[in-house]
Amino acid sequence: GRLEAVTQQMGYHPQYLDSFLKTQHYLMHMDGPLPFDCRHYIAIMAAARHQCRYLVNLHVLQFLRAGGDPQWLRGLEFIPPKLRNLNEINKILAHRPWLITKEHIEKLLKISEWSWSLAELVHAVVLLAHCHALASFVFGCGCEQDEGLGGRGSLSLGNQCFCEATAGNSCSQELLRINRKRSLDSCMELDSLRERMQRIHVETEGREEMRLLQQDREEGKGQGARGGCHHSDLSAGLSPLADPDGEVTGATNLACYMQDPDFGYQDFARRDEDQTQVFRVQDYSWEDHGFSLVNRLYSDIGHLLDEKFRMVDGLQSSAMAKRQGCEPSVFKRGIWNYIHCMFGIRYDDYDYAEVNQLLERMLKVYIKTVTCYPEKTNSEMFDRFWKQFKHSEKVHVNLLILEARMQAELLYALQAITQYMI
């Protein structure tokens, strides 16, 4: 009955968790252009770009449960060329989405034995952006570092499917068959979900106090005690997916799932470079352009994504904003626009001088690290930085990072698809 770690963290904001789980479930288990095993393999490819073993292991298990070929788990050389061709757009979206052009789209859609359809490509793009952004959340909230080491992740089932937190059972073949039914109403058992949301909320109310008490006890033991962490010693020689008997069930080498591992984020705004490539939301926005395109090519996903974007924007953060001396909406917009700015997306009606006034330096460092290179997030960042924030407020910031980053990737990819279609 324990909760999976990502669900556990998002549980501090039950309404958002409801929206996230519906979207996650629809992407992975409902009718759509892509086969079920391919969806999970694309998720593996996306998570591997950020070395997110947590998500890779999760989707390796789901890939196998969906009937995927175990040989594919040996690496990109063992998958169909059609899937392997997605590697380039995966790499660019994950690290420098502003480099995506209609030529990248055309290359995938050109008529050949391994060509993609527009609907398939939109599904794949949404999956890639979803998993890249979720990797940021995993690292930002410490789920990756703490998994299996007695930390926040110790209350989780690291190999549990997200849908198990809502459906209440394992992803059996029977459940996968049921999940294929084309109905938004049936994609989540809403009554059961709301009941679970209430339970999650009750469970999370007292968790922060327990965590702080445990943290104080650990700090009191001093550095010497840390050297004898039996959890770390025992797990050091095992795969993160090793069962109690030591049988390895997941891949340990993430490098096999990606090419050009040295390709990473570079600052978009360089003072010595021409800024003509700045993405202006006034010219192409999610509300006016992206939503209609994605919803036309992959039915209903646009509504789910839009609900999720609106849900995170509506989360209450009055205490968090009050500490910064501003209105909640101003504070959240500052974080959102700062994240988009790092990806070259600008709003003509926003004064970017506000960012420096609203966000203290350490908070900006944290946001940039989690957004642009989450794999470099220090395991102590979540607990040690900006201590004046409550645990739920830190999770809130990470949800803003997740959604702002996902929307940024989608805007670039969908704009390139639109340009190809013109």
Side-chain angles (χ1 to χ4, degrees):
R2 295 178 296 178
L3 295 171
E4 185 275 331
V6 168
T7 308
Q8 180 185 344
Q9 295 298 324
M10 290 183 182
Y12 283 95
H13 303 280
Q15 288 184 312
Y16 174 85
L17 175 59
D18 183 342
S19 181
F20 172 85
L21 289 174
K22 284 194 292 185
T23 305
Q24 167 85 16
H25 187 81
Y26 190 81
L27 277 172
M28 293 297 177
H29 301 295
M30 295 297 288
D31 278 353
L34 294 175
F36 294 101
D37 58 342
C38 289
R39 302 181 197 191
H40 289 290
Y41 200 88
I42 290 170
I44 292 170
M45 292 172 63
R49 284 307 317 181
H50 286 305
Q51 303 166 40
C52 186
R53 192 175 301 277
Y54 177 95
L55 289 179
V56 169
N57 288 339
L58 179 73
H59 287 287
V60 162
L61 284 176
Q62 293 306 306
F63 170 79
L64 293 172
R65 288 177 178 178
D69 184 350
Q71 289 297 314
W72 290 17
L73 300 179
R74 297 175 64 184
L76 298 183
E77 296 179 1
F78 298 88
I79 64 176
K82 179 176 178 177
L83 262 183
R84 189 162 58 247
N85 290 343
L86 199 64
N87 179 70
E88 183 71 10
I89 197 172
N90 174 35
K91 176 184 75 174
I92 296 175
L93 260 185
H95 305 293
R96 306 175 206 169
W98 57 87
L99 295 181
I100 286 185
T101 65
K102 66 178 182 180
E103 284 72 29
H104 290 108
I105 305 301
E106 183 178 15
K107 186 176 180 181
L108 290 170
L109 297 176
K110 67 180 181 180
I111 299 176
S112 72
E113 184 181 358
W114 307 109
S115 64
W116 290 72
S117 70
L118 266 175
E120 288 174 332
L121 184 56
V122 167
H123 192 171
V125 162
V126 174
L127 277 172
L128 290 173
H130 175 81
C131 292
H132 294 155
L134 188 55
S136 284
F137 183 86
V138 167
F139 280 104
C141 286
C143 300
E144 171 82 4
Q145 297 90 342
D146 289 340
E147 182 185 10
L149 299 180
R152 285 185 298 280
S154 64
L155 295 177
S156 73
L157 295 175
N159 59 2
Q160 185 184 34
C161 175
F162 290 138
C163 68
E164 293 174 23
T166 60
N169 53 17
S170 62
C171 255
S172 62
Q173 290 301 314
E174 176 65 12
L175 180 61
L176 286 174
R177 182 186 66 77
I178 294 173
N179 287 341
R180 291 184 175 93
K181 293 181 179 178
R182 181 77 171 191
S183 171
L184 273 177
D185 291 335
S186 67
C187 84
M188 305 299 288
E189 297 177 0
L190 293 179
D191 291 339
S192 174
L193 178 62
R194 292 190 183 98
E195 183 178 325
R196 283 181 171 271
M197 291 308 100
Q198 291 177 350
R199 179 167 64 83
I200 291 169
H201 187 60
V202 170
E203 288 181 1
T204 55
E205 280 182 342
R207 188 178 300 129
E208 184 174 1
E209 291 183 13
M210 294 176 64
R211 181 181 60 82
L212 292 175
L213 287 173
Q214 179 65 23
Q215 180 178 309
D216 291 340
R217 284 197 292 268
E218 290 176 354
E219 289 178 350
K221 294 178 182 179
Q223 293 293 328
R226 295 182 182 179
C229 180
H230 298 297
H231 289 287
S232 298
D233 295 339
L234 289 173
S235 63
L238 298 176
S239 160
L241 281 184
D243 64 18
D245 297 325
E247 181 181 353
V248 177
T249 57
T252 59
N253 178 22
L254 303 191
C256 69
Y257 297 124
M258 59 179 173
Q259 298 171 354
D260 196 4
D262 294 330
F263 186 91
Y265 176 82
Q266 288 184 351
D267 285 341
F268 177 88
R270 295 180 182 274
R271 296 176 183 176
D272 57 343
E273 291 184 358
D274 184 10
Q275 292 301 298
T276 55
Q277 60 178 346
V278 168
F279 188 112
R280 299 198 176 280
V281 176
Q282 282 69 21
D283 298 329
Y284 196 95
S285 68
W286 166 257
E287 293 81 5
D288 297 333
H289 307 89
F291 169 80
S292 59
L293 175 63
V294 75
N295 220 43
R296 185 167 76 250
L297 293 171
Y298 181 16
S299 180
D300 294 323
I301 193 62
H303 292 291
L304 290 168
L305 292 174
D306 195 60
E307 175 188 298
K308 199 154 58 79
F309 292 145
R310 294 177 186 275
M311 189 65 66
V312 77
D313 184 57
L315 291 179
Q316 297 300 314
S317 58
S318 55
M320 186 164 61
K322 186 176 180 180
R323 292 189 184 93
Q324 305 303 116
C326 64
E327 292 296 318
S329 59
V330 174
F331 184 65
K332 286 187 292 186
R333 189 182 186 194
I335 293 177
W336 187 278
N337 288 1
Y338 175 56
I339 294 167
H340 275 194
C341 183
M342 288 186 286
F343 288 110
I345 298 174
R346 306 280 288 192
Y347 295 79
D348 288 345
D349 61 349
Y350 185 72
D351 180 6
Y352 284 87
E354 285 189 11
V355 171
N356 291 329
Q357 298 170 4
L358 294 171
L359 309 181
E360 60 187 49
R361 181 180 176 277
M362 292 306 290
L363 179 54
K364 287 175 66 178
V365 169
Y366 176 86
I367 291 174
K368 183 171 183 178
T369 303
V370 175
T371 301
C372 301
Y373 21 79
E375 64 276 8
K376 295 183 180 180
T377 305
N378 186 288
S379 61
E380 295 185 349
M381 280 185 173
F382 187 90
D383 289 324
R384 307 302 182 187
F385 282 4
W386 28 297
K387 290 186 177 181
Q388 70 272 27
F389 288 89
K390 297 178 181 178
H391 185 95
S392 62
E393 293 171 337
K394 295 180 182 182
V395 174
H396 186 178
V397 170
N398 277 280
L399 292 177
L400 285 168
I401 292 173
L402 186 163
E403 295 300 340
R405 176 180 177 177
M406 181 173 185
Q407 189 178 103
E409 291 189 23
L410 285 177
L411 283 174
Y412 277 110
L414 295 175
Q415 183 193 50
I417 292 174
T418 300
Q419 292 173 343
Y420 167 81
M421 295 171 64
I422 295 176

